[in-house]
Amino acid sequence: MSLTLLLIQCLNGLQYGMMLFLIAAGLTLVFGVMGFINLAHGVQYMVGAYLAFAFLHLTGNFWLAALLSMLTALVFGLLLEHFIFRHLYGRDHLDQVLATFGIIIFLNELAKVIFGPATLSLPVPELLSGSIPLTPELRYPVYRLATIGAGVLVAGLLYLAVGHTRVGMLIRAGATTPQMVAALGVNIRRLFTMVFGVGAMLAGFAGVIAAPIFAIEPGMGDNILIVAFVVIIIGGIGSIRGAFLAALMVGLIDTLGRSLATLATGLILPPSMSDQVGPALASMLIYILMAGILVFRPQGLLPAKGAA
Amino acid sequence: MVRDRAPIVAGTIFALLMVAPFGLGLIGQGYLTGLLMRAMLLAIAALALDLLVGQGGMVSFGHSAFVGLGAYALAIGLQAGIESLLLLTLIALAVSGLFALITGVLALRTSGVYFLMITLAFGQMTYFTLTSLAAYGGDDGLTLWSMATLLGTDVAQNAGQIYFVILVVMVAVWWLMHCISQSRFGRVLRGARDNPERAEVMGFSVFRYRLTAYVIAGMIAGLAGVLTAQQNEFVSPALATWQHSGDLLVILVIGGLGSRNGAILGAFFVVIVQDLLGAVMPEWRLIYGPLLVLVVLFAKGGLNRLLGPAQTGSVA
């Protein structure tokens, strides 16, 4: 494999990692702050992508569609919170899992009914449609670079918001001792709703920027949700920094693994076997990484301080 | 003290299932026996999962991985030329037991939601590994052209009496779970569920008890996988999807956690509801999904509560 191809794969891995971060960030915030496990977070990513598709066809402008999709994703998340999730906060985790499982089943089917079972795609917006030369013979699409940039930007904003603002301080305090924060006169319910809304919007945002790259289809959020769980376990539950680090690791390892595993197993195994073992091993890599982390650092790489 | 009605309810269910094929077969409804077999196969896996979730308080979201492993062990063994169902079952039990041991040691370092996410991840790993087995059909799965034989006969095949084989296995698994729940082992497991620190202080290694339960549950789910493959004459990675794991949890909650009868009733309820809804409208999931939400929000204790007082070991 040439060096340029390796570079391309690294960039793809970074880009996948950023997508994972956007999803894992909302998931880890909601879980860290409210102790609520939301399986429907992945489906909110799917909703973001479908909204982008629908709004682009209505307005014809990608940027306007992206803005509208994010707002709608936010409203949708708040509605879900108000009507269903709010009643599950104090409940057993099993209840939370099953209720959100029901929502996944419903929304996946709804997407199929409204948009059809076939995969949809979105054109890359005009402004970011070009590609820039990395080496004389290989070019990389600007849009993918832009998604990496967007991920870094969101990570920075989240880091500042949670670590260095008054609201962020209340969120961190609310995660540790909600009763005490409420006793001091803070509306903890509203705080929780806000965190939830931000999480839903981040998932929707990830869906919007994924729409021009990946196929839009019912169930697209399910697999990425489980990978986001792996990211959270590796990074440490409730930790934004941990999610960022782990998302990049998982993104790079998964992407590079898929292109290198067959090659690597080919060094020690005959080709007929390495063609079999390589792909199987590649799809297991991130889970093996997770298992390794669990053995040596069960609390995750960068666990949140004081979070449950 | 209220008399425990669980064995009577269970006995009634088993007797009904025993006579069902004669009644249904006579009026030419082979389709219904297929439905019952599907429910019984789900019930076996759900009975195993209840040992973890109901008795042990370990919410595993990756239990269908073991079903998939059991099914593939049978399929791959058949391809390799092994025909004895007993030998293939032993292999499947060994494979699923070993996988449970390895993943259990890792997953049980944690508990609660962490355990749930980790079992979900290992389940997904199994699913993707099965899809990458190109030699065994990959994504599409594998049709089994010749089936395993039980002591040289076709009793455990669709051509024979597989219905009764599945029923006997289900009754046996029910009995095993009943014995485990009454035993010292079951009591320690429940004690550790309610208060792990106290069990630990009393000198029990909570980890070992949980790991043992995890391996038993994994092996029984593997057995369910063997029978599923034998009955479908087809295996595919779809057996190990996380939605399938979710269905097993739904069965437990609808039936009533921590009760053997609940696992069986739940399995029948879910299969029948899915089938009825599916017959009325192809988009039945639009109803099934909200139904689950409503069950969680409003129904407590599950179907089993309707049929009698709580069994020993139910979650209060």
Side-chain angles (χ1 to χ4, degrees):
Chain A
M1 179 179 283
S2 68
L3 207 62
T4 33
L5 216 55
L6 191 68
L7 184 64
I8 294 271
Q9 291 297 342
C10 282
L11 283 171
N12 283 344
L14 270 182
Q15 194 250 324
Y16 179 47
M18 286 304 167
M19 302 288 308
L20 283 176
F21 169 71
L22 288 177
I23 295 168
L27 203 59
T28 203
L29 259 186
V30 167
F31 184 78
V33 174
M34 297 182 264
F36 177 68
I37 176 152
N38 181 14
L39 290 189
H41 197 75
V43 104
Q44 283 165 324
Y45 160 82
M46 177 192 79
V47 167
Y50 272 110
L51 284 173
F53 180 84
F55 280 124
L56 184 67
H57 279 256
L58 280 177
T59 63
N61 180 323
F62 179 84
W63 305 102
L64 190 59
L67 187 69
L68 285 173
S69 309
M70 279 174 68
L71 287 177
T72 317
L74 173 70
V75 172
F76 179 69
L78 292 179
L79 286 176
L80 273 182
E81 201 268 350
H82 185 80
F83 286 106
I84 302 174
F85 297 161
R86 179 167 291 187
H87 308 285
L88 294 167
Y89 286 158
R91 299 277 284 272
D92 197 46
H93 288 307
L94 184 58
D95 286 348
Q96 302 174 348
V97 163
L98 286 185
T100 49
F101 181 59
I103 293 170
I104 295 178
I105 293 177
F106 175 74
L107 287 176
N108 277 343
E109 189 71 22
L110 191 67
K112 204 182 285 178
V113 170
I114 298 178
F115 294 95
T119 59
L120 305 172
S121 62
L122 219 60
V124 172
E126 195 82 27
L127 189 62
L128 302 172
S129 61
S131 59
I132 55 165
L134 289 177
T135 63
E137 69 268 27
L138 256 169
R139 305 169 69 85
Y140 198 73
V142 176
Y143 187 79
R144 285 184 177 251
L145 286 178
T147 59
I148 298 178
V152 174
L153 189 70
V154 169
L157 285 177
L158 270 180
Y159 181 72
L160 284 179
V162 175
H164 298 277
T165 64
R166 188 177 159 76
V167 174
M169 182 188 73
L170 288 177
I171 288 173
R172 280 177 292 138
T176 332
T177 51
Q179 293 87 352
M180 186 57 81
V181 176
L184 291 170
V186 177
N187 187 341
I188 198 92
R189 263 286 153 85
R190 209 168 61 204
L191 202 66
F192 281 4
T193 308
M194 203 179 76
V195 171
F196 195 91
V198 170
M201 199 165 72
L202 282 179
F205 178 59
V208 171
I209 65 173
I213 314 179
F214 301 124
I216 310 173
E217 58 189 337
M220 65 186 278
D222 300 356
N223 290 335
I224 206 160
L225 169 86
I226 298 174
V227 183
F229 276 147
V230 172
V231 165
I232 293 181
I233 294 166
I234 292 175
I237 294 186
S239 158
I240 297 280
R241 287 183 309 151
F244 188 72
L245 179 67
L248 289 188
M249 281 171 69
V250 168
L252 281 172
I253 288 176
D254 193 56
T255 311
L256 288 177
R258 280 178 205 285
S259 51
L260 295 178
T262 314
L263 226 64
T265 48
L267 295 177
I268 40 172
L269 294 170
S272 60
M273 265 183 85
S274 69
D275 284 350
Q276 293 280 326
V277 177
L281 191 69
S283 57
M284 287 168 73
L285 273 180
I286 55 170
Y287 304 103
I288 295 173
L289 174 72
M290 178 189 80
I293 298 284
L294 279 173
V295 172
F296 296 108
R297 268 185 85 86
Q299 73 275 37
L301 289 176
L302 299 169
K305 289 188 212 81
Chain B
M1 187 186 152
V2 200
R3 226 177 119 235
D4 189 4
R5 269 194 270 162
I8 303 171
V9 173
T12 315
I13 298 172
F14 297 152
L16 284 175
L17 285 172
M18 197 74 205
V19 297
F22 303 107
L24 300 172
L26 278 180
I27 50 172
Q29 291 282 350
Y31 158 77
L32 281 176
T33 37
L35 205 65
L36 292 181
M37 281 195 278
R38 224 170 77 216
M40 287 195 286
L41 289 167
L42 276 176
I44 296 172
L47 277 167
L49 183 60
D50 189 56
L51 179 67
L52 297 181
V53 183
Q55 307 274 320
M58 295 171 267
V59 181
S60 161
F61 209 120
H63 209 57
S64 68
F66 299 106
V67 179
L69 283 176
Y72 269 80
L74 178 97
I76 294 174
L78 277 172
Q79 294 257 308
I82 306 171
E83 289 198 335
S84 157
L85 182 61
L86 292 179
L87 183 57
L88 287 167
T89 306
L90 278 181
I91 295 171
L93 289 180
V95 169
S96 45
L98 189 66
F99 186 68
L101 187 66
I102 296 169
T103 55
V105 165
L106 293 166
L108 286 168
R109 293 173 71 90
T110 61
S111 61
V113 180
Y114 297 75
F115 180 79
L116 187 147
M117 289 188 203
I118 291 160
T119 47
L120 181 58
F122 281 130
Q124 194 74 350
M125 177 181 94
T126 311
Y127 169 73
F128 280 122
T129 308
L130 293 181
T131 56
S132 66
L133 293 177
Y136 299 101
D139 251 343
D140 301 326
L142 185 68
T143 304
L144 306 173
W145 297 112
S146 72
M147 301 311 301
T149 53
L150 185 62
L151 305 172
T153 68
D154 67 352
V155 168
Q157 298 179 4
N158 276 324
Q161 302 296 337
I162 194 171
Y163 179 94
F164 292 102
V165 175
I166 295 174
L167 177 59
V168 166
V169 170
M170 186 182 77
V171 174
V173 170
W174 184 93
W175 180 247
L176 176 70
M177 289 305 152
H178 187 72
C179 292
I180 287 180
S181 124
Q182 307 285 320
S183 69
R184 183 168 171 278
F185 176 78
R187 287 199 297 276
V188 173
L189 213 52
R190 289 196 294 278
R193 172 195 70 197
D194 297 337
N195 194 334
E197 288 82 13
R198 189 185 292 166
E200 200 75 55
V201 167
M202 286 172 75
F204 297 108
S205 165
V206 170
F207 176 78
R208 280 193 202 168
Y209 276 85
R210 287 185 170 165
L211 186 59
T212 310
Y214 192 73
V215 172
I216 294 173
M219 289 169 80
I220 292 175
L223 179 63
V226 167
L227 290 172
T228 307
Q230 185 78 0
Q231 197 259 324
N232 287 346
E233 302 182 355
F234 174 71
V235 293
S236 86
L239 286 172
T241 53
W242 70 284
Q243 285 91 345
H244 190 182
S245 294
D247 278 341
L248 290 176
L249 282 174
V250 169
I251 285 172
L252 290 186
V253 168
I254 286 184
L257 269 187
S259 67
R260 269 74 59 202
N261 294 348
I264 294 176
L265 291 172
F268 278 88
F269 182 81
V270 165
V271 165
I272 291 169
V273 165
Q274 288 189 353
D275 219 72
L276 279 182
L277 286 178
V280 180
M281 56 190 276
E283 306 86 10
W284 58 274
R285 288 188 181 84
L286 288 182
I287 298 177
Y288 184 64
L291 188 72
L292 291 186
V293 178
L294 291 178
V295 166
V296 170
L297 286 180
F298 299 111
K300 283 266 175 189
L303 287 176
N304 193 51
R305 277 291 160 80
L306 304 174
L307 292 176
Q311 289 169 12
T312 47
S314 67
V315 178

